[in-house]
Amino acid sequence: MINFTWYNPTKIIFGKNTHNEVGNETKKYAKKVLLHYGGKSLKATGTYDAVVNSLKNEGVDFVELGGVRPNPRLSLVQEGIEICRREGIEFILAVGGGSVIDSAKAIAAGVPYEGNVWDFYSTEKQPEKMLSIGVVLTIPAAGSESSDGSVITNEEGPDKRSCCTDLMYPKFAILNPELCYTLPVNHISAGGADILAHIMERYFAPNSNTDLSDRLSEAAMKALIYNLPKVLKDNKDYDAWAEVMWTGCVAHNGLLGRGRQEDWASHGIEHELSAIYDIAHGAGLAIIFPAWMKYVNDAHPERFVQFAQRVFDVDTQGKTEDEVINEGIEKLEAFFKGLGLATTLHEAGIDDKSFEVMAQKAAGNWTLGSIKKLTAKDIVSIYKKAL
Ligand code: NZQ
Ligand code: ZN
């Protein structure tokens, strides 16, 4: 186990009806907030009314900015920054999924900064101060509700980049599994793939002697694999949703990676796909992750054997190491297919014409990968494996 620090200050408020506590929680930080949300779903589901009533009941004034799209855009972030400055707002309440939360984090970073907020995403600068944010989560997926990161798309590239800093942790995150009942199947599936990917990015590490982190990760993966099909079958299964929502939060709150060098190559490779093709992040990961596993498993085969055995119960009797590894990857692909997700670029309608550009961009920003360091050439090979 390598040395580590673990810091996660986000207060989690979990369970039935908890979204009605948002006014009470918010008023601890501000009397006036920016209420930030996405598209039509928030009003259609009734969550908007519940949140607004709770804010009004607690005397919290608000200005609103809706319209965040999946793969949130820099232009709306800049609009939000202007609104906060004009209205003297110092707290942002994000009601939605990863896209809304990430947009809120970007606005929070941009308000006290004199330059262009994109500087933080092009990694030229790190935020030194930020406004605080709170969250009401409506989709278990990105884990942004208790993560230190935000991912924004600059339409001018298009470039999709992340910024990570301890200042990004929300003050609180309200997780009511009942709010997930209205999610359409495609978002449930993509969200589930993202949750699994967040655990696997931490699990496939070059380190040994990480037994606790391994077993916590395996338990989290098994809980997700068991409960996600249940919510697809019955979208009002509270108990299964509770497991999925809590797993989504724990998958990305930092705990499961402790003592290991996390990988994150698949995320880097996927972000280029969602930047150019506007594919849902989790849907892109369901295609990229198995291809990445096929390409890198020779660097640390023991990790991939352990994954096959412990997560997908692959019987190793009489099989070679490669056979066990391949069976584990096949079972992962079958799980994604069972969720209705594409597992090849071809199925997602993506061809090979942007491979070189995407690989250059993915490799150009930082060294990709930990279990195996990847150059742009390696990344092209992974895209080819995903075709
Ligand atoms: O369009 P609207 O009406 O807003 O509907 C949303 C959206 O279309 C819908 N939705 C959300 N809650 C709903 C609902 N529909 C019905 N009922 C509900 N209760 O779901 C759609 C997808 O929402 P989005 O926020 O885009 O999903 P997700 O949470 O998967 O977030 C994806 C974004 O997060 C980034 C991704 O790259 C992507 O941009 N990530 C952020 C991370 C972080 N900050 O730590 C880490 C992740 O790895 C990821 O990169
Ligand atoms: Zn992700």
Side-chain angles (χ1 to χ4, degrees), residues 43-112:
K43 289 187 178 168
T45 56
T47 303
Y48 173 87
D49 287 339
V51 167
V52 163
N53 284 339
S54 178
L55 292 175
K56 284 184 177 165
N57 288 343
E58 297 296 338
V60 179
D61 197 6
F62 61 88
V63 176
E64 16 184 317
L65 178 63
V68 180
R69 288 161 56 188
N71 299 322
R73 309 302 201 271
L74 181 61
S75 52
L76 193 75
V77 168
Q78 277 158 340
E79 205 181 310
I81 293 169
E82 287 310 312
I83 294 173
C84 288
R85 286 181 183 156
R86 195 171 62 231
E87 301 279 342
I89 285 168
E90 295 191 341
F91 190 91
I92 303 168
L93 181 62
V95 185
S99 297
V100 174
I101 304 166
D102 287 0
S103 183
K105 287 174 173 176
I107 295 169
V111 173

Side-chain angles (χ1 to χ4, degrees), residues 41-244:
S41 68
L42 197 73
K43 289 187 178 168
T45 56
T47 303
Y48 173 87
D49 287 339
V51 167
V52 163
N53 284 339
S54 178
L55 292 175
K56 284 184 177 165
N57 288 343
E58 297 296 338
V60 179
D61 197 6
F62 61 88
V63 176
E64 16 184 317
L65 178 63
V68 180
R69 288 161 56 188
N71 299 322
R73 309 302 201 271
L74 181 61
S75 52
L76 193 75
V77 168
Q78 277 158 340
E79 205 181 310
I81 293 169
E82 287 310 312
I83 294 173
C84 288
R85 286 181 183 156
R86 195 171 62 231
E87 301 279 342
I89 285 168
E90 295 191 341
F91 190 91
I92 303 168
L93 181 62
V95 185
S99 297
V100 174
I101 304 166
D102 287 0
S103 183
K105 287 174 173 176
I107 295 169
V111 173
Y113 179 61
E114 284 180 3
N116 185 340
V117 68
W118 187 250
D119 294 347
F120 302 136
Y121 292 82
S122 59
T123 64
E124 273 173 35
K125 297 245 165 68
Q126 271 288 90
E128 285 172 11
K129 54 182 172 177
M130 277 180 59
L131 306 190
S132 296
I133 78 158
V135 171
V136 177
L137 185 66
T138 63
I139 171 172
S144 185
E145 68 273 16
S146 68
S147 84
D148 65 351
S150 158
V151 190
I152 297 294
T153 298
N154 183 341
E155 300 93 316
E156 278 179 17
D159 287 313
K160 188 175 180 183
R161 295 281 174 266
S162 58
C163 168
C164 294
T165 155
D166 283 353
L167 299 172
M168 290 259 175
Y169 287 109
K171 290 286 176 203
F172 64 84
I174 295 178
L175 278 58
N176 176 357
E178 294 167 309
L179 301 190
C180 305
Y181 293 173
T182 52
L183 278 166
V185 166
N186 58 331
H187 292 320
I188 298 174
S189 302
D194 194 19
I195 294 171
L196 201 55
H198 292 163
I199 307 170
M200 295 192 294
E201 295 278 20
R202 297 175 161 94
Y203 186 80
F204 292 114
N207 317 93
S208 48
N209 302 319
T210 52
D211 203 26
L212 179 63
S213 289
D214 285 1
R215 290 181 190 276
L216 287 172
S217 302
E218 288 151 4
M221 287 190 266
K222 280 197 164 263
L224 186 81
I225 290 163
Y226 179 68
N227 285 288
L228 201 62
K230 286 176 128 186
V231 301
L232 284 170
K233 206 163 151 207
D234 173 6
N235 64 356
K236 291 192 172 52
D237 183 338
Y238 178 85
D239 294 324
W241 268 124
E243 300 294 345
V244 172

